[in-house]
Amino acid sequence: MQDSHEKIIRYYKGTEGEQMAVKLVDFAEQAKKNRKYKLSGFLTPFEQEMANTIANSLGDLIVDFNGGFVGAERQRAVFCHEDFAGKPVFEIAAIKAEWNGEFARLSHRDVLGSILSLGVTRECVGDIIATKEFAKIIVDKKMADYFIANLKRIGDAGVETTLDDLSNIEPKEERVKEISATVASLRADSIAAAGFGMSRSKMTDEINAEKVQLNWQTLKNAAQSIKQGDILSMRGRGRLEVAEVRGQTKKGRIGVLLKRFF
């Protein structure tokens, strides 16, 4: 098991996932040693893939995920030993923060910023569903009372925060738009520009500003090669899946089918 442990850490070393890999390996090894289960904080989709890889690599483990409602992006992972006969508890709660929508326009970023200003880590917070007059915030159940007692303002608006029921959260339904395009190359800036509807130079600026992710990790290089199945996401603009690479046209361009999720 130690050899598997070291291989996993080496694989993620130097990436954005390095610290989380160390933490998830520790959780998995605790579950394996105690023959019970170990629960993580809320993970990004990339970190969820990492948890799957770790469970498969270490053996004797099953990993499951829950984000509080159907379609949640950020989810908690639970590593269970195969011999564990009980039912793991995901310890997820929902809180509702309400404000006067006539006078305040608050975004997802406003809500998240105010929560993190309370001194908690991102792992304590799952998805945030923000509307004109309220936000439903998925949180670690152990932190729910703390948020209710301390989250009194978001941006410049006073808010009233109460415990909500997870069953009140509708399954997430995303709008999908298919985009057929031709690009000069499979560079990240070319694909993202075609999918998000902006010029390649503007997209390069967005990538350089670290506003774009490739497969849930910050995209560092606009010239990064993209392949079929890759996911590009852009802050405030949604997510883009490279559904199909269709090959070259007569003019030497490359045809692609993109799916944009809103």
Side-chain angles (χ1 to χ4, degrees):
M1 185 169 69
Q2 185 62 29
D3 185 50
S4 297
H5 174 133
E6 292 174 355
K7 284 182 179 178
I8 294 168
I9 301 304
R10 282 200 304 271
Y11 181 78
Y12 290 106
K13 189 172 180 61
T15 72
E16 290 182 15
E18 181 177 358
Q19 290 185 340
M20 181 56 70
V22 173
K23 186 177 292 187
L24 291 176
V25 166
D26 182 56
F27 287 165
E29 290 181 339
Q30 286 183 51
K32 189 167 183 176
K33 180 180 179 180
N34 298 330
R35 293 181 175 268
K36 294 182 179 180
Y37 74 88
K38 185 67 178 180
L39 181 65
S40 78
F42 288 95
L43 307 176
T44 66
F46 171 68
E47 291 165 344
Q48 292 163 37
E49 290 182 8
M50 190 186 301
N52 263 320
T53 298
I54 290 167
N56 291 334
S57 297
L58 296 182
D60 300 328
L61 292 172
I62 299 169
V63 64
D64 196 9
F65 302 92
N66 193 313
F69 65 98
V70 176
E73 180 175 291
R74 293 179 62 82
Q75 300 192 38
R76 303 190 79 170
V78 63
F79 294 97
C80 292
H81 192 277
E82 290 179 345
D83 294 339
F84 178 67
K87 185 176 180 180
V89 179
F90 281 91
E91 298 288 343
I92 296 173
I95 59 175
K96 184 178 183 180
E98 299 178 85
W99 57 85
N100 189 331
E102 291 185 18
F103 302 103
R105 294 289 185 270
L106 302 178
S107 66
H108 178 285
R109 184 181 297 183
D110 294 324
V111 178
L112 179 59
S114 294
I115 292 172
L116 297 182
S117 73
L118 298 177
V120 300
T121 65
R122 189 67 176 92
E123 293 173 50
C124 295
V125 186
D127 281 13
I128 297 171
I129 303 101
T131 71
K132 181 180 177 181
E133 297 181 334
F134 66 84
K136 294 192 176 183
I137 308 161
I138 309 301
V139 300
D140 184 331
K141 190 173 183 179
K142 294 177 182 176
M143 299 295 297
D145 289 343
Y146 177 79
F147 289 131
I148 291 170
N150 293 280
L151 186 61
K152 300 300 182 183
R153 299 194 68 81
I154 296 177
D156 294 329
V159 299
E160 180 180 348
T161 310
T162 56
L163 189 66
D164 201 2
D165 196 316
L166 286 169
S167 64
N168 291 333
I169 300 178
E170 297 288 336
K172 187 175 182 180
E173 294 184 9
E174 292 183 303
R175 292 184 295 121
V176 183
K177 178 181 179 181
E178 289 196 350
I179 302 168
S180 292
T182 61
V183 292
S185 71
L186 293 178
R187 284 171 51 119
D189 52 0
S190 293
I191 297 291
F196 291 116
M198 62 178 62
S199 70
R200 183 168 163 182
S201 61
K202 174 63 175 173
M203 179 54 65
T204 299
D205 291 340
E206 297 295 309
I207 292 171
N208 291 338
E210 298 190 348
K211 294 182 180 179
V212 181
Q213 291 187 324
L214 171 61
N215 298 327
W216 316 108
Q217 295 188 85
T218 302
L219 180 60
K220 301 289 189 180
N221 184 0
Q224 172 83 37
S225 182
I226 300 299
K227 63 183 183 302
Q228 186 168 303
D230 280 346
I231 303 291
L232 286 157
S233 50
M234 183 176 175
R235 193 181 304 165
R237 301 294 293 270
R239 193 170 77 250
L240 192 70
E241 177 188 346
V242 184
E244 187 179 347
V245 176
R246 292 171 166 169
Q248 285 194 340
T249 67
K250 292 180 180 179
K251 295 184 178 181
R253 293 174 65 84
I254 302 171
V256 293
L257 175 64
L258 308 174
K259 290 184 178 180
R260 184 172 173 186
F261 298 84
F262 299 85

